[in-house]
Amino acid sequence: MKRWSCEKANAWYRRKRMPIGCNFIPSTAVNDIAMWQADTFDRAAIDRELGWAADLGMNSIRIFLNYVVWEQDAAWCKHALKEFLEISQGHGLSVVPTLFDDCNFAGREAKAGLQPVPVPGVHNSGWVSSPPLRMIADESVWDPLRSYVSDMIRTFSTDERIIFWDLYNEPGHWQGERSLPLLKSTFEWARAAAPEQPLTAGTWSDNEVFNAFQYEASDIITFHNYHDAAVLARQITERKEHGRPVICTEWMRRGVSDIETCLPVFMDMNVGCYMWGLVAGKTQTIFPWGSPQGAEEPAVWFHDLLRNDGTPFNEREAFLFRTISGKIG
């Protein structure tokens, strides 16, 4: 299967309602392993919190899968995703699954089983990579990774509830360019699975080697931006030069990448966007990157929109989401 042409990609985007949503993990999960494992898959929290997302006017969400959950029980992993898609569909939300992820804030190896409790005050203290970091640069252990990518994409290759596949989150974040061969192979494996949805991996840094490959391999152009509105507009303009739809799969850190200043940029430039976080919970992303153990709750949250009872941290932000989405105003 070949990369989509620019014409096909742009026709796909014109048929879609511009995605506006968030990166989602239920408030009851410390990481994506806890989110998906059978013992801690919290249907009630997922249903409740996705309902809040829809009430804010969101129409799409991005999620992180984890290879070790599939490795432990592939049938359950696929069942859980199917159930998640059904819940999402019930709230009018499309889904962007992310298969691999180099981020490893916890500083430990991803393992199935009981996950640690959050370290008080520490941003994303339980977050681990997918796959385990030791596998990323060791091609001799990639056969199961190939099977994981092929199995997940083939199983859901025609599922219209999946808007696109984000194959690899922030490649090189922990391993540098040692991650590049796995990134390239992941695109090959995904193409071989022949999905009807577009494939992408978002640029997130200034690494020209990674960025050049990601631009050339992706059907649609995706990127991360935690900068101010002026930088955001410039990055969007640069990425539109590739002639393909542009979508931001991560943004929003208060005080820099603000909802009131950046969300209108996305709307004006017809660029879909997924802000970081929805409900404050065990990931503790209301705290800033690098927050120390025992830090007090910040007066201005870093990420996330809602408290765990569904009330907004900032009523004006919630109003802006509802207004722009067309729910009110």
Side-chain angles (χ1 to χ4, degrees):
M1 180 180 178
K2 295 181 179 180
R3 181 196 189 198
W4 286 16
S5 66
C6 290
E7 291 76 14
K8 181 176 180 179
N10 287 312
W12 168 86
Y13 196 61
R14 286 193 296 270
R15 291 194 302 270
K16 301 294 181 183
R17 183 182 177 193
M18 191 186 80
I20 176 173
C22 66
N23 286 264
F24 177 77
I25 184 169
S27 61
T28 54
V30 71
N31 59 25
D32 51 16
I33 300 174
M35 178 176 176
W36 296 106
Q37 284 188 145
D39 290 346
T40 47
F41 183 73
D42 194 338
R43 297 168 181 81
I46 291 168
D47 188 28
R48 178 175 62 251
E49 294 176 12
L50 291 185
W52 293 340
D55 183 64
L56 286 167
M58 295 183 182
N59 59 41
S60 191
I61 52 169
R62 179 176 180 242
I63 56 172
F64 290 76
L65 304 174
N66 199 298
Y67 161 76
V68 301
V69 178
W70 179 90
E71 180 186 44
Q72 181 187 50
D73 190 337
W76 163 258
C77 185
K78 290 180 286 185
H79 171 81
L81 180 54
K82 180 180 179 181
E83 188 162 347
F84 186 90
L85 291 170
E86 290 171 352
I87 297 170
S88 300
Q89 183 180 33
H91 294 293
L93 299 163
S94 63
V95 178
V96 179
T98 307
L99 296 180
F100 288 144
D101 176 18
D102 266 7
C103 290
N104 199 75
F105 291 101
R108 62 178 181 82
E109 183 170 301
K111 291 183 180 180
L114 184 65
Q115 300 301 297
V117 298
V119 178
V122 176
H123 177 105
N124 244 337
S125 66
W127 199 267
V128 288
S129 65
S130 171
L133 292 180
R134 61 179 170 79
M135 299 181 72
I136 290 173
D138 184 359
E139 191 170 349
S140 69
V141 298
W142 283 2
D143 280 348
L145 302 184
R146 180 189 296 109
S147 297
Y148 162 66
V149 172
S150 299
D151 189 24
M152 295 303 293
I153 292 183
R154 284 200 176 103
T155 300
F156 298 96
S157 62
T158 62
D159 198 315
E160 294 183 353
R161 297 170 297 188
I162 293 177
I163 186 171
F164 61 89
W165 293 92
D166 194 345
L167 298 181
Y168 207 134
N169 182 67
E170 300 199 351
H173 194 125
W174 245 254
Q175 297 274 36
E177 291 184 15
R178 297 175 68 202
S179 299
L180 187 59
L182 180 58
L183 173 65
K184 291 181 176 180
S185 293
T186 302
F187 268 93
E188 293 174 3
W189 303 333
R191 292 273 179 227
E196 293 184 358
Q197 310 95 336
L199 304 176
T200 191
T203 58
W204 66 279
S205 73
D206 295 328
N207 187 303
E208 294 182 1
V209 175
F210 275 108
N211 291 350
F213 173 75
Q214 287 164 260
Y215 288 141
E216 289 302 316
S218 296
D219 297 320
I220 59 175
I221 302 300
T222 56
F223 73 107
H224 296 176
N225 180 290
Y226 288 105
H227 303 290
D228 63 26
V231 174
L232 173 63
R234 184 174 71 249
Q235 289 191 340
I236 290 172
T237 299
E238 291 169 352
R239 282 153 180 78
K240 285 194 171 187
E241 292 176 359
H242 294 272
R244 294 173 179 272
V246 175
I247 296 174
C248 182
T249 48
E250 287 188 25
W251 71 285
M252 206 283 278
R253 56 168 172 152
R254 290 182 179 87
V256 181
S257 174
D258 290 306
I259 291 171
E260 293 187 21
T261 56
C262 290
L263 190 56
V265 173
F266 290 119
M267 300 302 109
D268 291 344
M269 300 186 78
N270 192 31
V271 169
C273 59
Y274 297 81
M275 61 164 287
W276 189 270
L278 180 65
V279 181
K282 289 185 175 180
T283 59
Q284 300 183 153
T285 53
I286 66 170
F287 296 92
W289 300 319
S291 56
Q293 182 172 350
E296 295 184 1
E297 179 179 327
V300 177
W301 287 4
F302 194 67
H303 295 318
D304 301 317
L305 280 174
L306 305 175
R307 299 179 176 88
N308 58 18
D309 64 356
T311 58
F313 168 73
N314 182 314
E315 289 286 352
R316 181 170 174 77
E317 292 173 344
F319 177 81
L320 184 61
F321 261 94
R322 293 190 181 103
T323 301
I324 286 180
S325 70
K327 287 186 69 71
I328 59 175

